[in-house]
Amino acid sequence: MDRGSKAPIHRQIYTQIRNMILTGDLPGGTRLPSTRTLGMELGVSRITMVNAFQILTSEGFLRSRAGDGTYVGNEWLNEAVTAPEVRRPELSSRAGLSASTRGSDLQRQTSPSWNPEDPESFVASQVGIDLFPTSVWKRLIGRHSEEQSIEMLGYPEALGHRPLREAVADYLRDSRGIDAAVEQIVITSGAQQAINALMLMMTDPGDEVWMEEPGHIAASAAMLANGCRVLPVPIDECGADLAQMPNELPAGRLMFLTPSRQHPLGVQMSLARRMDWVAWANEQGSWLIEDDCDSELRYRGSRLPSLYELDRGQHVVHVGSFSKIMFPSIRVGYVVLPEDLVDSFATAISVTGRAPATLMQAATADFIREGHLNTHVRRSRKTYAQRQEALLRELRNQLGSFIRAEAVDAGMHVIGWLPSTVDDQRLAAQLADKGVYTYALGDYLLERSLPPALLIGFAATDAGHMPDAVNYMVRALRHDGYSC
Ligand SMILES: Cc1ncc(COP(=O)(O)O)c(C=O)c1O
């Protein structure tokens, strides 16, 4: 027994007897000493032993026979059932044993992870949490957390909380020029669940789907996880270029696009290209998934009409999220769908984990309705523009011979182009080891078709701290032998 352990003594005794039974050291039918005798031998009270025996009896390890003491149950064989090592294999080998083709594909995907104890440094999708109006949020959450109603505490509505759907409809009309009925809007657990549910609903395993190259990793992961073949569509300064796809290629079930701000390169898709893609989808009977990510965080130039507005044949599904304009852990997003798809999409949502907590949805609805979202977006836009400027200045001053980066018109990261001999994935891993988090452009490519680069986020770093943050990166690079 370990008297310094946090585990109570009776629990320690229970665990040891249980392990002896499982490993065959105490075979079925063995008579155990009385609790009084065992207690004296072990130097613990009788009541401690009784507690341990009671748990073992309730779990079927021990049997007590009236007037005849306590025995190990007969069903426990006279040999080891399974050694603990065998029952707890390493996660990786267990996954290897049971993985399907899709599971194996997922194992090959790297999942971005960082230690929340470390500063976010340059994580591309990290928002400036210092800007979020937490006192407003606390008030809105407090308002709804006291409601003891089925609406608030039961399962969330399949299509999402009605007041939030209404608020999103108004928001899209006022700020995005999208005229969609409330009945076309479904709330999701972020864009990620929306994309997964769309894949489930629109594709069969083996289908060909088209994807921007480079493109949103989480979207291509969802495509692969749903058993689709993903074909890369090259990007130029006008966005994804349909003309570069071979004519003989079958149309593909769908195309995933980020027209507002191509993820990750940052260009806005031209109007002509938008029209090309809408015409393509209507001619081929394919779907366009329009991920409107970063449309609100535009610093220069004006926003162009969404694919959804340009589409008359109803082949576009518009996806939005509050991850970047509020905070990512909120897990609230939405889709705008042709009305006849709404019910099957809601079923796909329920299969992939249901809508977010109603409390979050209700507070988000109020956040939009009371004007806090617009105020927060305006403030974030202004501050992020300053942060971008500070990052570019420091990259130029401190790393100009190693990283080449230009200003982006929208979004939360720049692309830092590296010397052609550098392996961006290796470099990103080396930096991450020192707590400097970036993403490698190589992770976003299905084929290695672009020079090495890093996605360097600026939204989460205060402009005043930028010289030190970049200096830390310089030192980390030099430590790893890069001449910069
Ligand atoms: C292209 C793109 N779309 C959407 C999102 C938001 O995803 P979610 O709503 O699942 O957090 C991100 C987040 O980084 C993104 O990069």
Side-chain angles (χ1 to χ4, degrees):
M1 277 174 306
D2 175 3
R3 292 196 183 267
S5 159
K6 281 195 186 129
I9 298 293
H10 76 273
R11 198 76 207 172
Q12 295 186 38
I13 294 170
Y14 152 83
T15 306
Q16 289 191 27
I17 296 179
R18 178 179 174 276
N19 285 347
M20 287 167 83
I21 295 172
L22 283 172
T23 52
D25 288 347
L26 274 179
T30 307
R31 186 173 190 272
L32 295 186
S34 72
T35 48
R36 188 183 308 277
T37 312
L38 262 180
M40 273 188 325
E41 274 179 23
L42 295 173
V44 300
S45 71
R46 180 162 174 255
I47 193 74
T48 301
M49 286 309 306
V50 170
N51 282 341
F53 271 36
Q54 266 175 356
I55 306 175
L56 288 159
T57 306
S58 71
E59 292 183 358
F61 289 101
L62 299 183
R63 291 262 150 78
S64 57
R65 296 185 199 154
D68 191 25
T70 304
Y71 290 79
V72 175
N74 276 332
E75 60 274 42
W76 300 104
L77 304 176
N78 297 341
E79 60 195 64
V81 181
T82 32
E85 300 75 52
V86 180
R87 292 192 305 115
R88 285 192 195 167
E90 287 300 308
L91 185 62
S92 55
S93 66
R94 190 169 53 200
L97 282 176
S98 63
S100 59
T101 312
R102 296 182 201 193
S104 307
D105 279 343
L106 284 177
Q107 271 181 275
R108 277 197 292 275
Q109 301 272 330
T110 52
S111 62
S113 61
W114 68 89
N115 179 356
E117 303 285 315
D118 287 334
E120 303 83 18
S121 57
F122 303 103
V123 175
S125 47
Q126 187 57 268
V127 299
I129 49 169
D130 53 326
L131 304 178
F132 190 69
T134 39
S135 51
V136 171
W137 187 241
K138 184 177 161 198
R139 181 161 51 76
L140 301 182
I141 288 281
R143 181 185 294 168
H144 295 286
S145 65
E146 286 176 8
E147 278 176 44
Q148 197 162 14
S149 62
I150 290 289
E151 188 187 24
M152 202 51 63
L153 302 182
Y155 279 101
E157 287 171 74
L159 304 180
H161 189 49
R162 177 87 192 184
L164 178 58
R165 293 169 67 210
E166 288 167 357
V168 168
D170 291 346
Y171 171 73
L172 286 174
R173 192 179 44 253
D174 298 344
S175 76
R176 196 70 187 89
I178 290 180
D179 194 12
V182 178
E183 287 68 30
Q184 291 176 264
I185 293 169
V186 181
I187 305 301
T188 63
S189 287
Q192 189 59 37
Q193 191 195 28
I195 296 165
N196 261 306
L198 288 169
M199 289 301 139
L200 197 62
M201 194 177 114
M202 293 176 165
T203 64
D204 289 312
D207 277 355
E208 282 180 347
V209 294
W210 292 15
M211 174 76 199
E212 296 173 327
E213 169 83 342
H216 182 30
I217 301 177
S220 52
M223 293 170 169
L224 292 169
N226 281 283
C228 293
R229 278 194 55 213
V230 186
L231 299 180
V233 182
I235 304 292
D236 64 17
E237 65 287 352
C238 297
D241 189 3
L242 183 55
Q244 287 193 48
M245 295 301 277
N247 279 337
E248 65 276 12
L249 211 61
R253 294 287 296 158
L254 58 83
M255 169 69 182
F256 177 88
L257 289 163
T258 49
S260 283
R261 184 204 189 274
Q262 203 280 324
H263 189 74
L265 292 183
V267 295
Q268 177 168 219
M269 184 182 280
S270 69
L271 190 58
R273 285 279 167 83
R274 288 171 195 245
M275 313 275 267
D276 285 351
W277 279 108
V278 169
W280 173 85
N282 280 282
E283 275 159 27
Q284 309 288 343
S286 302
W287 291 104
L288 296 181
I289 298 182
E290 175 178 42
D291 179 342
D292 201 40
C293 185
D294 287 335
S295 76
E296 298 90 346
L297 299 173
R298 173 155 289 281
Y299 315 112
R300 265 199 316 245
S302 49
R303 291 197 286 196
L304 294 174
S306 64
L307 297 177
Y308 179 85
E309 292 161 81
L310 296 173
D311 172 39
R312 299 215 185 96
Q314 300 235 306
H315 283 81
V316 176
V317 177
H318 184 88
V319 179
S321 166
F322 293 99
S323 284
K324 291 189 176 175
I325 49 174
M326 289 178 71
F327 53 93
S329 78
I330 193 171
R331 307 314 307 142
V332 178
Y334 55 87
V335 296
V336 185
L337 294 150
E339 239 178 293
D340 53 352
L341 286 190
V342 164
D343 284 343
S344 53
F345 181 75
T347 306
I349 286 294
S350 69
V351 170
T352 54
R354 295 186 187 275
T358 308
L359 175 62
M360 286 294 153
Q361 297 191 56
T364 306
D366 288 356
F367 196 74
I368 301 171
R369 282 245 177 275
E370 294 179 10
H372 306 298
L373 181 65
N374 283 337
T375 309
H376 177 57
V377 168
R378 263 198 310 275
R379 181 163 175 235
S380 302
R381 231 183 351 239
K382 190 162 163 241
T383 308
Y384 290 175
Q386 292 160 355
R387 291 180 177 180
Q388 169 171 220
E389 223 173 87
L391 172 68
L392 290 172
R393 188 172 51 244
E394 293 309 320
L395 286 178
R396 224 175 11 249
N397 292 347
Q398 300 193 48
L399 269 172
S401 60
F402 189 72
I403 291 182
R404 192 173 42 80
E406 278 167 26
V408 286
D409 294 342
M412 308 196 318
H413 69 263
V414 298
I415 302 285
W417 298 101
L418 300 164
S420 59
T421 49
V422 171
D423 176 338
D424 54 11
Q425 285 160 313
R426 181 159 173 268
L427 181 118
Q430 287 172 322
L431 284 174
D433 274 348
K434 301 188 180 51
V436 180
Y437 298 100
T438 58
Y439 292 128
L441 182 61
D443 289 344
Y444 292 73
L445 291 162
L446 294 165
E447 295 164 2
R448 185 77 248 196
S449 49
L450 286 173
L454 294 179
L455 276 67
I456 309 178
F458 49 77
T461 309
D462 184 70
H465 179 59
M466 206 62 90
D468 286 348
V470 173
N471 186 255
Y472 190 78
M473 186 198 263
V474 174
R475 283 186 286 140
L477 286 167
R478 287 192 185 139
H479 183 271
D480 284 320
Y482 294 96
S483 44
C484 52

